[in-house]
Amino acid sequence: MDEKEKVGAAGAGSLPKRLFRWLDRRAGVDKLMKESLDEPIPGGARLAYVFGSGLLFIFISQIITGICLALYYVPSAETAHTSVAYITKQVAAGAFLRSLHYYGSSAMIIVLALHFLQTFLYGSFKGRRELLWMSGAVLSLLVLGMGFTGYLLPWDQKAYFATAVGTNIVGQIPLIGNWLTRLLRGGDTIGTLTLSRFYVAHVFLIPGAIFAFIAAHIFLFRKAGAAGPIHEDPVEPKLAPENFYPRQVLMDMGMALLIMVGLGFLSYFHPASLGPIANPADTQFLPRPEWYYLPMFEWLKYWEGPKVVFAVVVIPGLLATLFFLMPFLDRKLERRPWRRPIPVLAVAFVMLGIIYLGEKSEWDDRHDPSVAAQLSTQDHQEKAYTAAPFEPYVESPGGTGPMALPTGPVNPLVAQGKGIFEAHGCAGCHGATGTGTTAAPSLVGVTTKFPEPQLIALLHNPNAKMRAGHMPAVDISANDMSHLLAYLGVLGTSAANVPAMTGISAQPPSETDEGASNPTGKSRSPTAAEGGAAAKLSAPAAAGQQMFQERGCFACHGPAGVGGKAPALAPLIKNVSDAQITQLLQNPNAKMKAGAMPPVAGTPEELGSIVAYLRTLTAPPAGKQTTPETTETYATPSPEPTAAPNAAAPAAAPPPANAAANTTAAASTKPTPGRELFVSQGCSACHGPTAEGTHFAPSLIGVGKKFPGDALPTLLHHPTAKMRNGGMPSVKVNDAQMVQLVAYLNTLSTAPASAPNAQGTPAVGAAGAQPASVATGAKPQTPAQATAPVVLSAVAMRGQLVFQSNRCETCHGVAGLHGTVAAPGLAGTASILPASVLEDLLRHHSIRMQQGGMPLTNMNAKDMQGLVAYIRSMPAGGQ
């Protein structure tokens, strides 16, 4: 047949045939199909051979569903959970798609185990198939790695704490354990760096390795050929072969269809749930890994102390080695399992042990009342969150995102109540808007749930359940309590989105006060700056008032700009045009910069709103005028030293009787190597700068006598369970440093103990521990007299803005100096830490910080540098 006849024959037939011939001539499709489908199977097709193809089908399904999920997923500690919730609750068929991926991971483990057992029992690894077996062993470990790395990605409670347990197990490996844990986590704690690393491993690294080893596995399988049934010779098959197509193909397709139906049934009728967002501070949560890691979880319960190395490294390492070397240990060509009793019994023993440990873990959880109750609570919380409507991610209240303003005029009672709510650290547990966290319930509707007298009684004297949740008594006046109840009554509505007011009474003045401040005797309406009930701010001014509060302007200029450590604003801007005010806000002059005034960034509309609010401010009453000394101190630094007024002389030269006490205090804080370690290891942050104790940790004065000899170093290296539960970490220093640290602690035994009071500040234990004015009974000094003005650097000013915009003051108090019931002050504790140690603590929180509800600190390098500089600019003594 000549060339024209061939072309004519090729052009004949239906369109599919012609298309196939066209592809075949250019790509060799026919030859490729024959190579794939004409694989000879000694003894013919078997149902026992379907598990390998089933694994390949599940893997492809996981890749497809994973790509679909990755289109919506955002690997960040702030947004990961919200993005998964969006997939589950908002995306069309998103819950079904995620469930397919979720159940597919478990199906892959099950089919992998069946494939391993079939291959082992049939002896299919014999006869020059060692590399084939070993490549399959690597693939099995990669599949387990996929399950481990993917488990964290939803960033819910279960995922977070299970991953914490898993990474802690890795840390038990001798020599390199801590390094591996830090490598996995991206630091000492689990956060955004951990999430991004797990995401990269789950989406790119491990799948890439799986693709490579699948290719190698298929190549080695085709090279060695199918082993056939158990009575077949693995080297030189005797049985008549049968092609892979069509019978084995149909069986494999049936297996794939069965898997597809099973996964679809589970995904549709029992979709995967999603728990509340991860809260590292939740000390009540009981972590439980996925079912295929439960045996390892139970196994570790039987090992404690140094013996845990055997549980984590020695025994699992030995089993993994035997698993890999199986073809070299069972080398005989005999394949029938009943004629290979030793390897079969060994594998049966291991498999039964794994099943027993998994069931034992489940049995223990069900039969321990406290554990069962907590797990039931967690399951209920997970189901409740899954059933709850989707809540989109919104920027934290300290951010620059807009906040819905109340539709009517600002209620001063609510604003004052919000200030009390924040000042007492309530937001630290109940959330910035009182809508609840995993640490404390929502307060929305609490005023309708309890009558006012009962609610006030509960706030003054929390019940047992509230105290168990670390709820302190709210010890405030009746007037402040009424303001707080006003704010609680509007939680969950736009009326609660008012700027917090502090330091201004929202109640109408009494007749006595009115007469004192208004000699004419005529009644006057409160101004907008004073927060009077009749005050109505325009929309721009209300927005400006919000920014004045959010950006922390009140911290220096005082509530409503009446003055504080910076002057009152109304007199300053009285004769200044709006354009000049805007220019000064954007580019403060030298005098403002010297007083630590940072530039105010914002759009023209935002700056216009601030100016509109500033125009509503009025000059402070005569009794509240900022003193010239204070104003001058914070506005402009004196270019050179001047003579102190006579009134300040006693403070500058304390009486001789107090000199010895001051010397004692100075001696207790002498910068010895041991004290430097005490500070650098963060001990002072909990035990106080002079180890006198706080409400977070007890006094260490006299601890050397209580634990003499080697008892104290041993205790520091290995804290008791009670100490660990209180957040005490193991002190990881070398022997020489431990000697220095213990020597410093032993010197504390000569000083009198100072017991912390309810606010966490040391009570008066010795005159030397107190300011001179307290020890001598003199009138306390004002802040302007007691301390020199602190002029912030440009870096620290940036940190101040970061501190305020992230609402750190909600828990640590105004300017972070003195703290609240939710968190300690940073002056004299965190402020005395070295910059490197402080930054490490902010990026990788200690256990104590996590238990205290410290949120994840995710910020860029410049913001972190500024925050560290700002905290370190606080007074070392905590004034």
Side-chain angles (χ1 to χ4, degrees):
M1 184 180 294
D2 57 19
E3 189 66 25
K4 290 184 178 181
E5 291 175 341
K6 289 180 180 179
V7 174
S14 62
L15 179 61
K17 289 182 179 180
R18 283 182 291 169
L19 180 61
F20 179 80
R21 292 192 188 106
W22 187 87
L23 290 172
D24 182 44
R25 287 196 301 271
R26 288 158 178 80
V29 177
D30 187 56
K31 183 178 179 181
L32 181 63
M33 293 292 290
K34 287 181 179 179
E35 285 289 334
S36 303
L37 301 178
D38 290 346
E39 174 193 351
I41 302 175
R46 295 284 195 281
L47 285 174
Y49 304 157
V50 300
F51 300 114
S53 299
L55 272 174
L56 184 60
F57 169 79
I58 297 175
F59 178 67
I60 294 173
S61 171
Q62 292 295 92
I63 292 296
I64 294 172
T65 55
I67 290 175
C68 295
L69 294 174
L71 295 176
Y72 298 94
Y73 184 73
V74 183
S76 161
E78 291 184 346
T79 54
H81 186 265
T82 305
S83 62
V84 176
Y86 179 77
I87 293 169
T88 305
K89 301 179 180 182
Q90 294 292 104
V91 175
F96 182 77
L97 187 71
R98 176 173 173 259
S99 299
L100 281 177
H101 195 78
Y102 174 79
Y103 289 120
S105 63
S106 294
M108 204 163 185
I109 300 294
I110 295 172
V111 177
L112 176 65
L114 294 174
H115 184 52
F116 160 71
L117 290 175
Q118 181 271 323
T119 304
F120 173 75
L121 292 176
Y122 272 55
S124 300
F125 56 86
K126 295 175 178 289
R128 303 170 188 169
R129 293 177 174 82
E130 297 89 351
L131 293 178
L132 177 62
W133 171 271
M134 295 177 73
S135 65
V138 173
L139 281 170
S140 65
L141 295 182
L142 291 174
V143 169
L144 290 174
M146 283 287 285
F148 179 67
T149 54
Y151 200 64
L152 176 66
L153 301 188
W155 199 249
D156 59 0
Q157 288 280 78
K158 184 167 61 175
Y160 179 91
F161 285 101
T163 304
V165 172
T167 51
N168 286 336
I169 291 174
V170 175
Q172 300 297 327
I173 300 175
L175 302 179
I176 62 172
N178 290 334
W179 177 81
L180 285 176
T181 301
R182 288 180 62 87
L183 179 66
L184 287 172
R185 294 181 173 182
D188 291 326
T189 58
I190 297 176
T192 295
L193 289 178
T194 317
L195 194 60
S196 63
R197 292 182 183 212
F198 275 52
Y199 179 76
V200 169
H202 187 74
V203 175
F204 298 105
L205 301 182
I206 299 180
I210 289 178
F211 272 119
F213 275 94
I214 285 177
H217 195 68
I218 294 176
F219 170 78
L220 293 170
F221 177 75
R222 296 301 300 270
K223 179 68 175 176
I230 58 176
H231 51 79
E232 178 63 285
D233 189 316
V235 180
E236 298 179 358
K238 304 296 191 297
L239 298 175
E242 179 184 358
N243 288 341
F244 181 69
Y245 178 82
R247 290 184 64 224
Q248 192 62 50
V249 171
L250 292 175
M251 291 180 182
D252 288 353
M253 290 177 64
M255 177 66 174
L257 181 62
L258 182 64
I259 293 172
M260 188 185 303
V261 170
L263 293 178
F265 183 88
L266 282 173
S267 301
Y268 185 81
F269 291 102
H270 187 56
S273 58
L274 178 67
I277 189 171
N279 177 22
D282 188 353
T283 59
Q284 304 298 320
F285 193 88
L286 292 179
R288 291 297 182 268
E290 197 56 74
W291 64 269
Y292 41 84
Y293 280 116
L294 268 182
M296 187 64 177
F297 178 78
E298 180 68 20
W299 167 255
L300 292 173
K301 294 180 182 179
Y302 298 96
W303 306 82
E304 292 182 359
K307 296 179 182 178
V308 77
V309 176
F310 289 92
V312 174
V313 180
V314 178
I315 296 178
L318 180 61
L319 291 177
T321 303
L322 294 175
F323 178 52
F324 270 83
L325 299 180
M326 181 68 71
F328 300 97
L329 300 175
D330 189 5
R331 297 183 59 85
K332 293 182 181 181
L333 296 182
E334 177 59 57
R335 297 174 56 190
R336 286 168 288 190
W338 54 87
R339 294 195 177 183
R340 297 184 290 132
I342 294 178
V344 171
L345 288 176
V347 171
F349 177 77
V350 173
M351 295 300 296
L352 290 175
I354 291 174
I355 295 172
Y356 168 77
L357 289 173
E359 288 296 323
K360 180 69 163 52
S361 179
E362 292 280 0
W363 191 91
D364 288 345
D365 288 344
R366 288 194 302 267
H367 290 79
D368 187 323
S370 59
V371 172
Q374 177 61 28
L375 291 177
S376 176
T377 301
Q378 293 172 191
D379 185 60
H380 175 74
Q381 291 173 345
E382 186 173 310
K383 291 178 179 178
Y385 182 84
T386 302
F390 172 70
E391 294 183 7
Y393 171 76
V394 292
E395 192 171 359
S396 62
T400 58
M403 180 174 68
L405 293 173
T407 55
V410 174
N411 186 337
L413 294 178
V414 173
Q416 189 74 9
K418 186 174 183 179
I420 296 169
F421 185 84
E422 294 180 353
H424 284 75
C426 310
C429 292
H430 293 283
T433 56
T435 53
T437 67
T438 53
S442 170
L443 296 177
V444 176
V446 70
T447 54
T448 59
K449 185 177 180 181
F450 298 99
E452 183 173 316
Q454 185 181 355
L455 182 56
I456 293 175
L458 278 174
L459 291 173
H460 280 310
N461 300 291
N463 58 33
K465 184 177 180 181
M466 295 163 69
R467 289 196 301 272
H470 309 291
M471 170 70 182
V474 181
D475 191 11
I476 55 179
S477 66
N479 193 34
D480 286 346
M481 181 63 76
S482 66
H483 302 160
L484 179 60
L485 294 182
Y487 175 64
L488 295 180
V490 298
L491 287 177
T493 68
S494 61
N497 296 337
V498 296
M501 285 187 177
T502 55
I504 301 177
S505 176
Q507 289 291 88
S510 63
E511 292 181 6
T512 305
D513 294 338
E514 182 72 23
S517 60
N518 187 12
T520 63
K522 298 179 181 180
S523 62
R524 64 179 181 89
S525 300
T527 65
E530 294 169 319
K536 290 186 178 181
L537 296 178
S538 64
Q545 184 185 40
Q546 175 188 327
M547 285 185 279
F548 185 87
Q549 296 291 332
E550 288 180 349
R551 301 193 181 197
C553 309
F554 66 88
C556 294
H557 293 284
V562 296
K565 64 181 183 181
L569 292 171
L572 292 178
I573 65 173
K574 183 177 180 180
N575 299 318
V576 182
S577 67
D578 290 356
Q580 288 177 312
I581 296 175
T582 303
Q583 180 65 25
L584 284 171
L585 289 174
Q586 292 178 307
N587 300 293
N589 59 31
K591 185 175 182 181
M592 296 165 68
K593 288 180 180 178
M597 171 69 183
V600 179
T603 64
E605 292 77 11
E606 290 174 335
L607 294 174
S609 297
I610 294 176
V611 172
Y613 172 64
L614 296 181
R615 289 299 186 194
T616 67
L617 303 178
T618 58
K624 292 185 179 181
Q625 287 282 2
T626 308
T627 62
E629 295 82 2
T630 305
T631 303
E632 189 63 25
T633 298
Y634 285 94
T636 55
S638 177
E640 56 186 14
T642 57
N646 292 334
N658 204 39
N662 288 337
T663 303
T664 304
S668 67
T669 58
K670 185 179 179 180
T672 62
R675 170 158 178 79
E676 291 177 357
L677 284 169
F678 183 81
V679 173
S680 65
Q681 293 291 318
C683 311
S684 59
C686 290
H687 292 283
T690 57
E692 74 281 5
T694 69
H695 67 299
F696 286 101
S699 169
L700 295 179
I701 295 173
V703 71
K705 291 183 178 180
K706 188 175 180 181
F707 299 97
D710 294 335
L712 184 54
T714 302
L715 194 64
L716 293 173
H717 276 310
H718 306 286
T720 64
K722 183 178 180 180
M723 295 164 68
R724 290 195 303 270
N725 292 337
M728 172 70 182
S730 174
V731 180
K732 296 179 180 179
V733 295
N734 58 40
D735 293 341
Q737 291 173 324
M738 180 60 75
V739 171
Q740 295 171 343
L741 180 59
V742 170
Y744 168 69
L745 295 178
N746 286 334
T747 63
L748 301 175
S749 60
T750 59
S754 300
N757 59 21
Q759 282 72 34
T761 55
V764 179
Q770 303 300 321
S773 59
V774 176
T776 59
K779 183 179 179 180
Q781 298 168 323
T782 64
Q785 295 170 327
T787 59
V790 178
V791 179
L792 298 179
S793 65
V795 177
M797 282 193 285
R798 180 189 183 106
Q800 185 182 41
L801 289 176
V802 172
F803 189 84
Q804 293 167 352
S805 66
N806 282 276
R807 299 300 292 271
C808 305
E809 293 178 322
T810 299
C811 292
H812 292 287
V814 176
L817 296 176
H818 304 297
T820 67
V821 294
L826 301 176
T829 54
S831 66
I832 62 178
L833 294 176
S836 59
V837 175
L838 179 56
E839 180 175 350
D840 189 61
L841 274 175
L842 290 172
R843 291 197 182 278
H844 313 294
H845 302 158
S846 67
I847 295 176
R848 187 65 178 175
M849 294 164 70
Q850 295 177 31
Q851 292 176 343
M854 175 74 176
L856 297 171
T857 312
N858 299 311
M859 58 185 65
N860 58 45
K862 289 186 177 180
D863 285 350
M864 178 59 74
Q865 183 184 9
L867 182 60
V868 170
Y870 173 64
I871 294 175
R872 284 174 52 80
S873 70
M874 296 178 184
Q879 290 95 338

